Amino acid sequence: MATVFARPRLQLFGVSTTYVVRKISLSDLVDALRLGWEDFKAVPTHAIVLCVIYPVLGLVLFRLVLGHSVLPLLFPLAAGFTLIGPFAALGLYELSRRRERGEEAAAWDAMRVLRAPSFGAIFELGVLLLVLFGVWIAAADAIYITIFDYAPAASIPDFARRVLTTSEGWSLIIVGCGVGLLFALIALCVSVVSFPLMLDRHATAIDAIRTSMQAVMRNPIEMGVWGLMVAALLAAGSLPFFVGLAVVLPVLGHATWHLYRKVVEPDPNPREEEQPRPPIGHRYAADFPASLFPWSRER
């Protein structure tokens, strides 16, 4: 039994269709990870190249924190990357999509997302996640200041002693993790299938968010377990010094694509995207500004 989620008539890309949200099981989550691992093994060098920025960024971030006495923000910054992870994995979705269709998947193919008809909507949702990330960092900083005032940590051992051996430190852990969980829940509801849907079906940002929330409402336990699995794998991949993320991130990116495939039924009338387009012909002044938006002439 599946839930049919109708889209509004007004569309930015294409014509109005319906998305069918399925009820999945916990075994589907395991299978999505398995398929993600298979994709990673098929194109491991490409995936690592796409995601190597994360370990490097983690090391730079670690050094930045030590050099500017903002050690309390190290964990919020590292944990906050999970909020923008779905946007950062766009290239991995494209690689999984191409392998699914039996096409060659190379590193350059990941850049095809930049030419997707719905890239504007993808960018909009990416900006929203970046804003959410910034609000989370500001909230984490406010929580620390509220509990410990403005006194900086002298060193890593001093900071660890404050957090782990004092009542204020335990308050920081409980409140911080609670607020962080709220932000993670918002990000999960907004983006669990949004980016693959926009890439695959050219949905608008609003439609993608609505479908993603419908998927969570339809599968609350399964999506909650998925979020815990992602958090656990990211925590494991962050040790030591974020190096493990070079493997964990691409696997999760590929797995997210396969999770989307299990949650949202495929398009019954897929587009023939690989066929060459007919010549456009001459352009006239009357075409402006419509000529700035080539997707408006599609179909």
Side-chain angles (χ1 to χ4, degrees):
M1 181 177 179
T3 300
V4 178
F5 182 57
R7 300 169 67 189
R9 293 183 179 179
L10 182 60
Q11 300 296 317
L12 184 59
F13 303 104
V15 296
S16 179
T17 60
T18 58
Y19 300 137
V20 180
V21 178
R22 294 168 171 155
K23 174 66 179 176
I24 62 173
S25 65
L26 295 179
S27 62
D28 290 319
L29 306 181
V30 177
D31 192 50
L33 282 176
R34 179 187 64 80
L35 293 172
W37 174 248
E38 293 296 327
D39 285 350
F40 172 73
K41 290 192 299 181
V43 284
T45 54
H46 304 145
I48 289 178
V49 168
L50 289 170
C51 295
V52 72
I53 187 174
Y54 284 90
V56 172
L57 184 59
L59 292 174
V60 172
L61 180 62
F62 187 77
R63 182 65 185 89
L64 179 68
V65 165
L66 292 180
H68 291 81
S69 299
V70 286
L71 188 60
L73 292 182
L74 177 60
F75 176 76
L77 284 168
F81 283 125
T82 60
L83 303 179
I84 57 177
F87 176 61
L90 278 173
L92 300 173
Y93 305 151
E94 178 63 20
L95 293 180
S96 290
R97 179 171 175 260
R98 293 182 67 82
R99 287 198 71 238
E100 182 183 85
R101 296 164 62 180
E103 301 174 1
E104 182 181 356
W108 178 251
D109 293 321
M111 299 298 104
R112 289 176 178 268
V113 298
L114 299 177
R115 296 184 295 173
S118 56
F119 183 74
I122 291 172
F123 182 77
E124 290 172 2
L125 186 52
V127 171
L128 176 62
L129 293 184
L130 286 173
V131 171
L132 187 66
F133 173 77
V135 174
W136 154 244
I137 296 302
D141 186 47
I143 292 171
Y144 181 83
I145 292 175
T146 300
I147 295 177
F148 284 107
D149 206 355
Y150 289 92
S155 61
I156 292 180
D158 176 57
F159 177 70
R161 180 191 60 79
R162 288 188 185 185
V163 173
L164 300 177
T165 63
T166 65
S167 59
E168 291 84 358
W170 283 105
S171 298
L172 177 67
I173 293 174
I174 295 173
V175 176
C177 289
V179 175
L181 180 62
L182 177 61
F183 276 89
L185 180 61
I186 294 173
L188 179 70
C189 292
V190 166
S191 63
V192 65
V193 297
S194 294
F195 290 104
L197 179 63
M198 288 187 288
L199 181 63
D200 184 46
R201 307 277 283 273
H202 303 166
T204 66
I206 294 298
D207 291 339
I209 292 173
R210 288 174 176 171
T211 304
S212 184
M213 295 180 68
Q214 183 74 6
V216 174
M217 293 172 62
R218 177 69 172 158
N219 304 278
I221 296 177
E222 290 78 11
M223 290 303 175
V225 172
W226 176 253
L228 292 176
M229 291 169 63
V230 170
L233 289 172
L234 288 175
S238 298
L239 301 174
F241 302 109
F242 305 96
V243 173
L245 293 182
V247 174
V248 172
L249 283 170
V251 170
L252 287 176
H254 291 306
T256 299
W257 171 264
H258 294 291
L259 178 66
Y260 154 72
R261 279 300 194 206
K262 293 179 180 296
V263 173
V264 180
E265 285 193 3
D267 189 348
N269 301 303
R271 303 174 180 85
E272 296 294 335
E273 298 180 0
E274 299 303 323
Q275 294 181 354
R277 297 182 180 180
I280 296 175
H282 295 289
R283 300 282 183 84
Y284 301 95
D287 292 333
F288 186 84
S291 59
L292 297 178
F293 305 96
W295 55 77
S296 64
R297 295 185 299 274
E298 292 184 355
R299 293 169 294 277

